[in-house]
Amino acid sequence: MSTAAGALAAGRPQWVAVVIPAKDEAARIEETIRSVQTLDRVDLVVVVDDGSSDATSAVARGAGAIVVRHPSNQGKAAAMATGARVVAMREEADRASGGEDFREELHAEPRVPGHTGPLPVIDPAGGAPRALLFLDADMGASAAGAAPLIDAVLDDGVDMAIALLPPQVGAAGMGIVVRTARSGIARATGWEPEQPLSGTRCITREAWDECQPLAPGWGVETSLSIDALAGGFWVKEIPCELHHRATGKDLRGQLHRAAQLRDVLRALRRRRAVRPPYVADEDAVGVEATAESSSVSAPEGAEPRTDPSSRESPDLLASLPVTSEFSQEDLAQLGDADLEVLDRELRALPVDGLFDPDEIAFLASVDLRELADRLDRAPVEGGFSPEDAVIIGAHLGRPAPEVPEGVATPMTSDEYASFVVQAAVDAADAEGDAHTE
């Protein structure tokens, strides 16, 4: 008797490739690799050394993993993408050669005139591509606890299984990042994950391909969840006994959390086109609409949607410091902004480069003169990147950050944006503590 799970699992992957992004994990990577090698149906382990300054690559290779190395740090999302490409290239090579089990006498076409010898008979389908299991490099012996994710994808028909981790010893200060990602995913898709930042995930190749391109850096988990759900795939959180090194409260930990929040915000901005037409919560920056929903009436009490066709002259839009044309959603968010004033104030910002259309749409609701003053007073060498300027503009309601002693100045644009976000993290945590006292 077939079950629903069995029907869903028909034509599913039969094997799993583990992809482990790693940076300076020489002390832990071997134990992590040895642990995942014990998992049933794992037949390939790829480690992406993302610009390590230690022996991570050598140790991983000695443990039996395929290793590819980025000469410089490119971030988690880039390491994940590299690992997935290596798996795909390995599968293509196996198909071209007939695979490890190829035997000429069993799997070859008969000789025919003009052929120099038997040719491998390769099944064009070759079976479903391996599922991808992404793991953190510092999980050590607990990495074997990812087995339920594999079962969910290979046996139960789940397209992306996300690990629900137990409380981690020493973890601190992640509340605002988690809340931001959770509420953003819920707004975009209607699904509210318990652990939106969990990076341990098993995903089918079909779902993975649908989620390209990835959001950069630490926003990758947020974008994966939104894009997979928007693509109609089954996403499910699965409890797993996994443990990794927790981020502490020292300066390194603070900067890590700040970078996470910054990247999550960027990922949410990039993915907001899949949000429902009307967002009715305090975090919304404006009413948005998709082209398909432009004829839908607004809910009672909602502000009427601006008709993009009634905007000022297209010449004014084209004059803005923007990289490309505005979408319907961006035009709706611009509302009744005075484009001449907006253009003048955007160009007064100490920013190097052009803004993306959605960034300008967001900045239209920001006090740009205050933002210019904040950027001018920042201990930054050179101009700001457009993305960092937007992040700082999103936090004008918080005091400018105090740079800790021992931190060299002037900073880069990216470093200062991290401190701005960290000031928001600290302030929100302090407010949360005050409410619980």
Side-chain angles (χ1 to χ4, degrees):
M1 177 178 176
S2 63
T3 64
L8 287 170
R12 305 289 292 184
Q14 301 300 308
W15 299 95
V16 175
V18 177
V19 176
I20 306 176
K23 183 178 186 298
D24 296 333
E25 293 288 357
R28 303 171 184 84
I29 190 69
E30 181 175 6
E31 187 176 24
T32 301
I33 294 170
R34 300 291 187 198
S35 182
V36 297
Q37 287 171 337
T38 67
L39 291 171
D40 289 341
R41 296 181 285 188
V42 167
D43 66 344
L44 185 63
V45 179
V46 176
V47 171
V48 181
D49 183 345
D50 192 28
S52 293
S53 58
D54 65 6
T56 294
S57 288
V59 174
R61 192 173 290 108
I66 294 174
V67 178
V68 60
R69 189 174 189 277
H70 290 165
S72 61
N73 181 252
Q74 298 182 29
K76 184 176 183 180
M80 292 171 67
T82 294
R85 285 196 297 270
V86 169
V87 173
M89 291 169 61
R90 177 65 176 263
E91 290 175 342
E92 290 172 1
D94 286 345
R95 285 194 294 271
S97 66
E100 294 181 359
D101 296 329
F102 174 73
R103 298 292 182 275
E104 183 176 294
E105 62 273 17
L106 298 177
H107 303 286
E109 294 177 351
R111 293 177 182 272
V112 295
H115 282 189
T116 57
L119 299 175
V121 177
I122 308 299
D123 177 5
R130 291 176 177 90
L132 301 170
L133 174 60
F134 294 98
L135 283 175
D136 291 337
D138 60 359
M139 288 187 162
S142 78
L149 303 179
I150 295 175
D151 296 340
V153 171
L154 270 59
D155 299 333
D156 299 337
V158 176
D159 297 301
M160 183 164 66
I162 305 172
L164 273 178
L165 276 62
Q168 303 293 296
V169 177
M174 292 293 291
I176 190 172
V177 190
V178 171
R179 290 194 300 272
T180 299
R182 181 184 294 133
S183 64
I185 293 170
R187 288 202 309 273
T189 68
W191 179 65
E192 186 171 309
E194 185 175 340
Q195 294 183 10
L197 301 179
S198 176
T200 303
R201 302 177 178 222
C202 190
I203 181 171
T204 65
R205 196 70 57 79
E206 182 183 8
W208 171 260
D209 290 342
E210 178 70 20
C211 295
Q212 305 305 307
L214 302 175
W218 301 106
V220 63
E221 290 88 5
T222 300
S223 74
L224 279 172
S225 295
I226 291 175
D227 291 344
L229 289 163
F233 293 96
W234 182 11
V235 178
K236 185 178 181 180
E237 293 183 306
I238 308 289
C240 295
E241 282 297 322
L242 294 164
H243 301 273
H244 58 82
R245 185 179 66 254
T247 303
K249 291 188 175 181
D250 58 6
L251 179 60
R252 179 179 178 182
Q254 291 174 354
L255 290 177
H256 174 76
R257 289 190 294 275
Q260 280 192 306
L261 180 55
R262 181 195 64 212
D263 288 350
V264 165
L265 289 170
R266 288 174 174 172
L268 290 173
R269 290 206 315 278
R270 292 292 186 269
R271 264 65 183 176
R272 73 170 179 229
V274 299
R275 289 183 185 173
Y278 289 92
V279 180
D281 69 44
E282 60 187 8
D283 294 328
V285 293
V287 176
E288 301 175 13
T290 60
E292 292 78 10
S293 64
S294 59
S295 62
V296 179
S297 299
E300 185 177 355
E303 292 293 329
R305 183 183 294 112
T306 300
D307 180 3
S309 64
S310 67
R311 295 292 304 159
E312 289 101 326
S313 166
D315 291 340
L316 289 176
L317 289 172
S319 71
L320 294 171
V322 65
T323 58
S324 57
E325 294 184 0
F326 288 89
S327 67
Q328 297 278 334
E329 295 81 10
D330 295 326
L331 290 173
Q333 192 175 338
L334 280 173
D336 296 323
D338 186 323
L339 297 185
E340 290 185 356
V341 173
L342 180 61
D343 179 66
R344 182 169 61 250
E345 293 185 345
L346 286 170
R347 294 183 185 279
L349 297 174
V351 170
D352 293 333
L354 302 176
F355 293 95
D356 288 342
D358 62 341
E359 291 173 337
I360 289 182
F362 172 78
L363 289 174
S365 63
V366 170
D367 186 336
L368 293 180
R369 285 175 292 182
E370 182 183 352
L371 175 58
D373 181 64
R374 180 71 61 88
L375 298 181
D376 286 335
R377 290 187 288 109
V380 170
E381 182 176 22
F384 285 80
S385 73
E387 284 191 339
D388 290 331
V390 172
I391 293 299
I392 295 167
H395 293 85
L396 288 180
R398 300 290 186 184
E402 295 183 5
V403 179
E405 293 183 7
V407 175
T409 55
M411 301 178 182
T412 65
S413 165
D414 188 67
E415 289 170 340
Y416 184 74
S418 293
F419 277 105
V420 168
V421 177
Q422 183 57 47
V425 172
D426 291 341
D429 286 347
E431 291 169 2
D433 292 341
H435 288 318
T436 60
E437 291 177 357

